[in-house]
Amino acid sequence: MSLIVQKFGGSSVADAEKLLHIAHITKETRGAGHDVIVVVSAQGDATDRLIRQARELAADPSARELDALLATGEQASAALTAMALMSLGVDAVSLGAWQLPIRADGAYGDARVTEIGTERVARELDAGRVVVCAGFQGVGANGDVYTLGRGGSDYSAVALADAFRAEVCRIYTDVDGVYTADPRVCPTARRLSRVSYEDMVALSRAGARVLHDKCAVLAQERGVALEVRSCAPDSVGTRVGAEGEKRAVTGVTQRAGGADAFAAVTLVGGAVPSLCVQKKALLALDAAGIAARGVDASARSLTLYVDRARADEAVRAVHDAVVD
Ligand code: ASP
Ligand code: MG
């Protein structure tokens, strides 16, 4: 039977109603004849809340204990998701990183997945269960729980999709796919039907918050087929794979960058960096009365530094000038 990995972010598991909604989506995937591994994030802003709780006790809490604390957010939502599935008559089991196991090494708060044990999950799938994995965590050689970096459940999902040779890894998020710019900032942004791994990695590194950058890198390395979509029934989403849409500029994104008061606005795409694109972008900033504080070019990307307070405006101006 073919296997599908479905990852749901924090807002998709935020309360009982949302949990039942994703349980219905999962039940449908089962009904279409697939085995399913579900990967979940912590509910809503649970991770931020846990960080605040830690900081009430220590300005600089122990990294080990902070990981032990944060990992509980995903463990709770995994168990709740399994319960929601069972309430719909779908047999399900939640598993923490130590139970698979998902092995990780590196630093607390920013570990990477090194290996995934497949035996337990295979047994559960064979028994007809949906397996719900807690995202964002792994277990270190020392037996400690390590988290994988903020937003790391995307990365967990791709690592699982790779380990189990899933047909596709579906990432369910707030937005209905990958856009040419953050649609919350830039109203003219368009959804891309396909994005190449190369562009997805470049966009994620440049600050696009749609996918964790380690997730995009791993998907590219291992050739994992990704689909980014929302939980809405009419969501079409974006396919991330070897081939993207043929566009000169795929997207424009922003992050804090350069000096403290600066933001980095980055253009990504096959025709970037080129003098023509650079000129169009600089002219657009100029027309909007935004000063370019610096320019940086690298493979498939061009970064313009602007004052942080003008970053959203800069994204809109550059987007409208270079993305067709
Ligand atoms: N809950 C973690 C975070 O907020 C991981 C994730 O959502 O993917 O960063
Ligand atoms: Mg995320």
Side-chain angles (χ1 to χ4, degrees), residues 276-310:
C276 165
V277 168
Q278 177 166 335
K279 196 167 150 199
K280 275 193 203 168
L282 288 173
L283 280 172
L285 286 184
D286 196 46
I290 301 169
R293 307 290 184 184
V295 179
D296 240 350
S298 65
R300 293 188 92 78
S301 79
L302 175 75
T303 298
L304 309 165
Y305 296 93
V306 300
D307 292 338
R308 195 176 289 185
R310 316 278 319 259

Side-chain angles (χ1 to χ4, degrees), residues 41-42 47 74 136 150-154:
S41 292
T47 306
E74 272 67 12
F136 181 52
R150 295 305 307 266
S153 299
D154 293 344

Side-chain angles (χ1 to χ4, degrees), residues 7 9-10 41 150-154 171-173 209-212:
K7 181 263 170 179
S41 292
R150 295 305 307 266
S153 299
D154 293 344
I171 308 266
Y172 289 82
T173 172
R209 285 164 303 165
V210 54
L211 283 186
H212 194 277

